[in-house]
Amino acid sequence: MSDAEVIVIGSGPAGVSAAWPLVEAGRKVLMLDGTGADDPVARGPARVLGMQLEGLSVEDGLSPKLRAPEARLALAGFLRAHGVEADNFLPVGSLARGGLSRVWGGFAAEFDTADLKDWPIGQSDLAPSYRRVTQRIGVSGTTEDAAGMKLGASGILQPPLPLGAASQILLNAYRRGGPLLLGQARNALISRPLDGRGVCDLRGGCLWGCPLGAIYDARSDLARLARSRDFHIAEKAEVIRLEKQEAGWRVYAADGRSFSAATVMLAAGTLGSTRLVAPYLPVLPEWRLLSNPVIAAPLLMPRALMAAPKASHDLAQLAFFLPFGAAHEYVSGAVYETIGLPASSFASQLPLGRRAGEAVFRFLSPALLVAVNYFAGAFSGNLIGFERATGKLKIKGGFAPGFANLAGQVSRDLARHWRRLGAVPLARSKLALPGTDAHFAGTLPMGGAGANGTNILGELKGLEGLHVVDGAVLPSLPSKHATLTIMANADRIGRALGRH
Amino acid sequence: MARLLVTGASGYIGRRLVEMAQADGHQVIILGRGSPDLHWSLGEPVPARAFVGVDAVIHLAHSWAADAEGRAGLNGDASEALAHSAFAAGVPRFVFASTNSARPEALNAYGREKFLTEGRLASIPGAAGRLVSARIGLVYGGVPQGQYAMMRKLTRLMPFLPMIGLDRQVQPIDLDEVCAGLLALATRPELTEPVYVLAGPPMRFGAWLKLLRRAQTGGALALLPLPPEPILALSRLGPGTIRERLLGLAAAAPMESTASLKALGIVPGNPALRLDERPAAERRALLAYMGAKPVTAAMEADLAEGMGRAGLGPLGLSGTLVRRPGLLILVEPSANRPGHRLGMALHLASQVVAAHQGERPRRGLIAAGGLVLLDLLARPARLLCGGRYR
């Protein structure tokens, strides 16, 4: 006897996006969640330091986002459960409810035809799903400015939120016409009420989680899905093994429970899903794992030092695109304000005493921006392997040959553009440790010719009924943030299955 | 879990005892003037219904004012009446809080009275095997109250202290250990000796005072021994309690306690470590330097936890730095230097302050520039003394 028509493994952005169209089509869906419901955003000092002080630490290596207690909670347990061995790579994954949407910065970009050139599906296949997902999660931004069209126009947007002072000055200085495209960022942050979530009131402190629920995370979808009689969730079902049966699949959890269904949607996150599928692959020595190489560059806007401060949020403020090299290559990224960042992380970079260093930051931060540049996944050179004996994933991080030089050139080119707009790049930035971006994809590519290739519904050859619906099936990773596309693709596969 | 009837629950020992008993899951009924359970004051009869279902009475109440009010013998009479009613009601255990100065020849009335009362209680019919007296030593720790509070205050404020009885032996014991001992006596029927001594290993009273000062301030204490006779003669002019305490000191003598502590499973802690307030003072200095205004107990607790997790023990900051946190600028390392103990402690302190106070407001050019200038000026000093807290 099966437990549901469809089992969805994982409660993150891909899992809920796959579940929605199935539930709407009247299918009985059982979602397996690695943990359980957790507490709402903490208040007071615990919001920053964590309920168990897990946010209090002398480490500075991680991005401030990954250091925040909310992120630590979301990420805790994944490595323990999944046994990932990483070399020169930061493996990020989540077993927590809501999955990696909890550490998503909310940047919502659509892939265009050029971005999808290696895909077995086209922009028109994804467009209806972009529209549905954008509507469902709430995305604020504009299509009117120079970056707008590059970010896509399939979805209906909520009005953009006000920019911080330094970002506004930078954007005001920008004129269309050159190769650089600069405009407002597009975020899964709501400016109009949606499903009981509060509208962003520019209170700041976004790094520590939004008590209003203005920033999307998959938990708000779960609350809505749970109202349907066709949707059930099994808590603390940390999946460790899949077993193909005569009709369908049996899924085993770490605590000994098992669940069966004709169809399984695998949305455990790229690393988690890869590990669950790996035992079924013919022995591959090592295969590729895409990620977005990332460089963060601090920019000072001297004019903003004199300007009156403006309340804003701490998510991406501006989006930019700069083409380089051959026809379709470009670097893209997001510009962030730094007012919401902890002064202590900044001071740790300076050769000054901590008190003086923090004072410098508090003087500069209204004028200090950080431009985070993402390069396409083709420039990553990570290899992922699976050790059958131990069931461990092994990841070796790296970059494509010659990429370090190219990244340097592009960064210098970008710095020239920033200077023209009145911003002063403060320091020569280095490439971050591979994996820091947490944009993992491409281990089980749709349309891939190899043994790890999947069809356009995320199925591996010979493993019918098991649909991988997360980042693992993305055939390529453009320079843009992939989360919205992962959600749209899961929605597309869910819709296709719902019709059968 | 036991049902315990406690008198003296608002006193120094009583408060902590009730907390610990409740934390252990015992049901506590308080008998006293301010009691929400049973209103009673020393000397009044206790209604028999108070003892229904009670497994043990812990009798801590003592009136220091009885003599002054012309009610000599109140403590003894009241204790006897209470024990009498308890035994008559079938209560299987009565724990009487006595003192390690309980001797027939004690100089202070307190010691003599406690000794006499022990004897009176023991002669009540049915007392054998049910009555235990806990002879308690010099109690320290917890929320300072009474004699302990006075000694702390004296040693904190005075670097130089004239005092009597400095060579006498006192037996300090931690408040929590006393309470654990009393609870054991109340709840473990196999403890059937009539007397248990709840007192730590003996130490000279002078050494105890020096320890109290060092723990609080890190500084030394100079003691001037005074001859007891003229002081005691003078003390007749003051309030009775002071004279009582002085008399207690002048005649303090140690009482063997190892067998009792062993039977109760208590290993007395080292008061020098237990009472050391310098690590906390040091954390408050770090927080103040990183801008905490005011430094709160919650911040200090968070920093203690954070430093513990980062493997940072107390840094041993000098007394001057602890008193004047601003001087930390002279020894603080550059913030980008990894692995420096003081540097890491300040990093944690900064995060704690930011979390509790919110990120601090924007700095103006002059304020930020001034701090940077100070920081640069402090460099030579850091080169000279920065290594101390590495």
Side-chain angles (χ1 to χ4, degrees), chain A residues 74-87:
Chain A
L75 305 180
F78 174 80
L79 294 185
R80 174 189 51 74
H82 278 280
V84 180
E85 230 172 69
D87 174 19

Side-chain angles (χ1 to χ4, degrees), chain A residues 81-332:
Chain A
H82 278 280
V84 180
E85 230 172 69
D87 174 19
N88 189 36
F89 188 88
L90 181 72
V92 180
S94 175
L95 293 175
R97 179 163 290 192
L100 288 179
S101 69
R102 293 168 62 165
V103 291
W104 181 28
F107 200 106
E110 296 175 15
F111 289 3
D112 58 25
T113 306
D115 296 326
L116 296 170
K117 70 177 191 306
D118 298 328
W119 290 45
I121 55 170
Q123 211 278 335
S124 58
D125 297 310
L126 278 176
S129 292
Y130 276 132
R131 198 149 48 235
R132 285 163 49 91
V133 172
T134 301
Q135 178 82 19
R136 193 183 83 226
I137 68 176
V139 176
S140 58
T142 174
T143 52
E144 302 295 309
D145 61 19
M149 289 315 287
K150 282 292 268 187
L151 292 170
S154 305
I156 296 166
L157 302 176
Q158 298 193 348
L161 285 152
L163 294 176
S167 306
Q168 188 68 63
I169 291 171
L170 181 65
L171 186 60
N172 290 349
Y174 173 75
R175 296 285 171 269
R176 292 193 198 212
L180 179 75
L181 300 179
L182 182 69
Q184 292 221 34
R186 193 173 289 182
N187 294 311
L189 169 66
I190 54 177
S191 59
R192 292 286 177 270
L194 184 68
D195 302 316
R197 288 160 58 198
V199 166
C200 175
D201 62 4
L202 310 179
R203 62 175 66 188
C206 308
L207 197 56
W208 319 117
C210 184
L212 300 168
I215 306 171
Y216 171 80
D217 89 45
R219 285 174 294 179
S220 54
D221 269 326
L222 287 172
R224 292 172 59 208
L225 278 166
R227 285 184 220 139
S228 163
R229 244 184 270 163
D230 292 329
F231 180 84
H232 294 279
I233 191 158
E235 296 192 342
K236 299 192 173 112
E238 180 190 317
V239 175
I240 52 166
R241 196 159 61 85
L242 309 172
E243 191 179 276
K244 187 159 169 44
Q245 301 191 315
E246 272 177 35
W249 289 82
R250 184 159 283 276
V251 177
Y252 293 88
D255 61 3
R257 281 180 293 171
S258 73
F259 309 88
S260 71
T263 305
V264 170
M265 311 282 267
L266 187 50
T270 295
L271 299 184
S273 295
T274 303
R275 181 167 163 279
L276 288 170
V277 164
Y280 282 102
L281 296 176
V283 183
L284 290 174
E286 282 172 323
W287 66 106
R288 66 170 191 170
L289 167 66
L290 299 177
S291 68
N292 287 130
V294 58
I295 300 184
L299 298 176
L300 185 68
M301 287 296 297
R303 273 188 287 155
L305 284 172
M306 308 303 151
K310 282 175 62 187
S312 187
H313 56 81
D314 301 325
L315 305 191
Q317 298 273 326
L318 304 175
F320 61 85
F321 298 88
L322 183 70
F324 65 85
H328 290 300
E329 305 210 87
Y330 64 90
V331 63
S332 82

Side-chain angles (χ1 to χ4, degrees), chain A residues 44-46 48-49 52-60 67 208 304-307 309 339-345 347-366, chain B residues 289-290 301-303 305-307 309-310 312 326 329 332-337 343-352 354-356 359-365 367-368 371-372 374-376 379 382:
Chain A
V48 180
L49 296 179
Q52 270 81 45
L53 296 185
E54 58 273 24
L56 179 60
S57 139
V58 290
E59 300 159 38
D60 270 315
R67 281 188 54 184
W208 319 117
L305 284 172
M306 308 303 151
I339 291 187
L341 294 182
S344 63
S345 305
S348 298
Q349 313 300 318
L350 297 185
L352 286 173
R354 182 161 294 279
R355 202 170 57 156
E358 293 189 1
V360 168
F361 177 75
R362 273 184 236 117
F363 169 66
L364 291 181
S365 62
Chain B
Y289 181 65
M290 289 320 299
D302 281 357
L303 182 58
E305 177 70 23
M307 285 177 70
R309 281 197 206 165
L312 291 168
I329 194 171
E332 173 192 18
S334 288
N336 64 351
R337 186 171 152 184
M344 289 193 279
L346 287 170
H347 190 180
L348 295 171
S350 161
Q351 294 168 57
V352 169
H356 283 262
E359 281 286 338
R360 284 135 288 178
R362 189 183 167 190
R363 288 272 189 177
L365 178 60
L371 273 171
V372 171
L374 270 182
D375 201 72
L376 296 176
R379 295 214 156 193
R382 284 180 194 169

Side-chain angles (χ1 to χ4, degrees), chain A residues 104 270 290-292 374 435-441 477 479-483:
Chain A
W104 181 28
T270 295
L290 299 177
S291 68
N292 287 130
Y374 293 93
T436 308
D437 50 303
H439 303 172
F440 305 148
L477 200 53
S479 147
K480 288 173 189 167
H481 286 63
T483 307

Side-chain angles (χ1 to χ4, degrees), chain A residues 447-466:
Chain A
N452 59 332
T454 48
N455 66 18
I456 62 166
L457 296 179
E459 286 172 302
L460 283 143
K461 277 180 220 76
L463 300 181
E464 287 70 31
L466 175 67

